[in-house]
Amino acid sequence: MKRLFNEHEARKVLDLNGNWQFKLDSENVGESQGWQNGLTNGETVIVPSCFNNELRLLNYEGCAWYEKKFKTNGGTLCFEFGSVMTKADVWLDGKWIGEHYGAFTQFELIVNDVSAGEHTLIVRADSRLDALSFPQRYTDWFNYGGIARDVYLNELKGISILSNHIENELSDDLKSAKVNAVIELYNANSTSTTSNVSVTVGDTVIYNEAVSLDGYEKKTIVTPNIVLDNIELWSTKSPRLYTVVAKTETDDLIDKIGFRKIEVKEGNILLNGKSIELLGVNRHEEHPDWGFAFPSKLMKKDIDLILDMGCNTVRGSHYPNSRIFVDMLDEKGILLWSEIPMWGCGFSEESLKNEELMERGFNMHKEMVKYYYNHPSIIIWGMHNEIPTYSKNSYPISEKWSKYLRENGGNRLITHASCHPMRDGDMGFDDIICINIYHGWYRYGGYDGNLKDWDKMIEQFDARRKEKGWEDKPVVMSEFGAGALAGFHSHFDTVKWSEEYQRDLIEYTLELFHKTPYMRGTYIWQFANIRTSPSTDLNRVRYFNNKGIVDEYRNPKAAYFKIRELYKRFADEEK
Ligand code: ADA
């Protein structure tokens, strides 16, 4: 996949990005008309991209077909897709080779015994949202479609490495780490094969053994624990990364890891044993000109702005972000909250009882853990956002998912973002309690609709958490904010949509949360304006969610400078 470094030196990888043939299928008739055998009268588009950024397709939701011709040496091929929005079906030379559901995680399809020469790869991307989709039809971001992240072709030879997780546990004094690898292997030969398999972390070989697999067999090996002494920790101030190289006689996989410990103690969040206040923003990986096919240069710019504002963390709302973006966070020492696209209001109480739908969500968690496991920057797994957690239907889901993430997700804090703090039934499963509320912007029942509502809420929630015995769980304000139309100013601090109103609301709330002893972090909603969907009834002004601290072209609004002042002061106070 596209990373900040090459994942392979030994393996032959072909870049399948660039020109593809493209054809719209608004009636979904392509398969019955044989488009899987080849597209006629297609037009040329660039992959990766979202089709909604093509002329005339601004609001299109539905199927679109893509075709790419490529040459290969043949043998066993592994097609690697960074993200197809939302359902993908893939054909090779007219033969269906697999499918994938879910817009924001990568997937691979392996095909054996392919002849050398030219071949045709066809992808149908279906962006429709329905009762079984994540998110559901009703959502607050634009539902872009297409092949939004990179596509690569890997030629697999002999025993190949599909994935490699490095599990690690730090000693109490944080000076050494117990490490082992969980390596997923695949034999690309049709006959039984033996190969040496080795794993190196930094300069230390932690595994080096011969392994045998039957023809086309998949096998996962868990290597014994090795203790690494004198390790350097990964932290926000000194994000030390170690290179991990897994090798067989015919293949390799390179990755980076960091050693760090995240935990909660007596209501505090501790990174490497030291209390940290999370100073963050929510960020969608979206831009009106590229949709979710977000260019790496812009990721770098977002990170520069986020650091300039004094943030030490980002919430990847509301889905797994590109791996290369997470690499950048690893490198810069910025903490990340990663979650699946289970967006609130869209999910009804009834939908939580739909087993097929919930199985999809569970699978998305498994994929998120699979691909993002090694990134040290990810300190939080978010289960879901604003679903009806007051209903008994969400309880078994949060119970199952939190258990899975705790047992399989490495050293991370588990949470969900709740907009029902006073009646949420699932907070007991969380390591940190996360609250989304917009007092001063939206009006909530039982509140007056002004800034003073915050003080009342803080008092009420304090009483609830004490009554429930949740004093040890730090509370983080995971969403709050106000809309502002860039360039709209007012002398009156009561004029909503002005830059001043947004700035003053954020100043008020940040100061208040910072001085509230049980609160240990803030994620302002949101970093940049985003496009929203005209087909939902949210009726967003300009069809944008305008709560960005920067506008959609990354120009700062007045709040930007206030946040920079406050976050820098808060960070200094922590020292
Ligand atoms: C919710 C939601 C966000 C956004 C926000 C808003 O909290 O989680 O995605 O929609 O509200 O702007 O109202």
Side-chain angles (χ1 to χ4, degrees), residues 55-80:
L55 290 175
R56 86 189 185 283
L57 295 181
L58 190 70
N59 290 322
Y60 179 72
E61 264 185 31
C63 294
W65 292 66
Y66 293 78
E67 176 192 290
K68 181 83 174 172
K69 292 201 187 304
F70 62 93
K71 281 196 183 126
T72 168
N73 297 320
T76 295
L77 303 185
C78 172
F79 296 94
E80 200 181 10

Side-chain angles (χ1 to χ4, degrees), residues 264 406 412-415 429-433 472-474:
V264 299
R406 203 158 270 129
R412 265 119 199 170
L413 306 178
I414 315 295
T415 195
F429 298 120
D430 295 337
D431 297 312
I432 49 172
I433 290 174
D472 280 350
K473 296 180 194 281

Side-chain angles (χ1 to χ4, degrees), residues 558-575:
Y560 180 98
F561 304 99
K562 183 49 78 182
I563 295 165
R564 185 164 69 179
E565 182 192 315
L566 294 177
Y567 272 179
K568 291 201 168 151
R569 198 189 89 213
F570 297 169
D572 283 346
E573 286 170 17
E574 285 272 298
K575 282 179 196 151

Side-chain angles (χ1 to χ4, degrees), residues 173-402:
D173 64 4
L174 305 178
K175 290 203 166 106
S176 61
K178 210 161 66 180
V179 297
N180 72 283
V182 181
I183 321 166
E184 203 190 350
L185 299 170
Y186 178 73
N187 183 9
N189 293 332
S190 58
T191 52
S192 161
T193 307
T194 301
S195 168
N196 200 69
V197 178
S198 67
V199 180
T200 311
V201 176
D203 298 328
T204 313
V205 179
I206 66 156
Y207 184 72
N208 194 10
E209 299 280 334
V211 176
S212 299
L213 269 76
D214 289 341
Y216 300 142
E217 192 196 351
K218 223 185 230 185
K219 192 191 254 177
T220 299
I221 47 174
V222 182
T223 71
N225 285 325
I226 295 274
V227 175
L228 300 184
D229 288 319
N230 301 320
I231 47 144
E232 287 176 52
L233 295 174
W234 182 97
S235 69
T236 48
K237 292 197 180 71
S238 169
R240 167 76 159 99
L241 294 171
Y242 284 76
T243 300
V244 176
V245 182
K247 272 189 186 162
T248 69
E249 286 160 28
T250 44
D251 196 35
D252 63 355
L253 179 61
I254 301 165
D255 205 353
K256 305 236 168 149
I257 60 158
F259 296 104
R260 53 113 191 96
K261 188 173 189 179
I262 191 82
E263 62 193 318
V264 299
K265 231 181 219 162
E266 294 161 6
N268 283 312
I269 300 168
L270 307 185
L271 177 65
N272 299 334
K274 199 170 169 288
S275 167
I276 184 167
E277 180 177 3
L278 300 178
L279 306 173
V281 278
N282 285 273
R283 173 184 174 271
H284 268 279
E285 195 165 276
E286 192 265 2
H287 186 285
D289 292 338
W290 287 280
F292 290 131
F294 204 90
S296 324
K297 169 65 190 91
L298 251 192
M299 292 177 189
K300 166 75 171 56
K301 180 165 183 174
D302 280 5
I303 288 177
D304 288 346
L305 294 171
I306 284 166
L307 282 175
D308 181 58
M309 264 196 292
C311 299
N312 56 21
T313 183
V314 176
R315 176 173 172 216
S317 41
H318 288 297
Y319 36 77
N321 288 187
S322 300
R323 297 282 301 281
I324 191 167
F325 178 72
V326 188
D327 284 339
M328 293 180 194
L329 300 182
D330 289 343
E331 220 177 44
K332 293 283 183 196
I334 302 172
L335 309 169
L336 177 65
W337 161 337
S338 188
E339 65 190 25
I340 66 160
M342 191 166 185
W343 188 84
C345 328
F347 285 83
S348 64
E349 284 185 52
E350 209 43 39
S351 73
L352 302 177
K353 288 202 300 203
N354 183 327
E355 284 180 20
E356 206 180 337
L357 178 68
M358 291 306 114
E359 203 43 43
R360 263 192 176 168
F362 189 40
N363 198 42
M364 286 181 160
H365 278 296
K366 289 184 184 161
E367 289 189 334
M368 181 165 75
V369 168
K370 174 173 176 188
Y371 291 106
Y372 294 82
Y373 185 89
N374 283 344
H375 290 281
S377 57
I378 300 180
I379 55 151
I380 297 172
W381 295 130
M383 292 189 277
H384 38 69
N385 175 71
E386 296 192 355
I387 67 167
T389 36
Y390 46 80
S391 112
K392 62 181 185 343
N393 297 353
S394 67
Y395 192 87
I397 294 155
S398 300
E399 184 176 33
K400 177 175 167 182
W401 293 2
S402 59

Side-chain angles (χ1 to χ4, degrees), residues 140 318 343 385-386 436 438 442 479 525 540 545 547:
D140 193 15
H318 288 297
W343 188 84
N385 175 71
E386 296 192 355
N436 295 358
Y438 288 82
Y442 299 130
E479 286 187 33
W525 186 268
R540 295 287 188 212
N545 183 314
K547 297 189 189 74

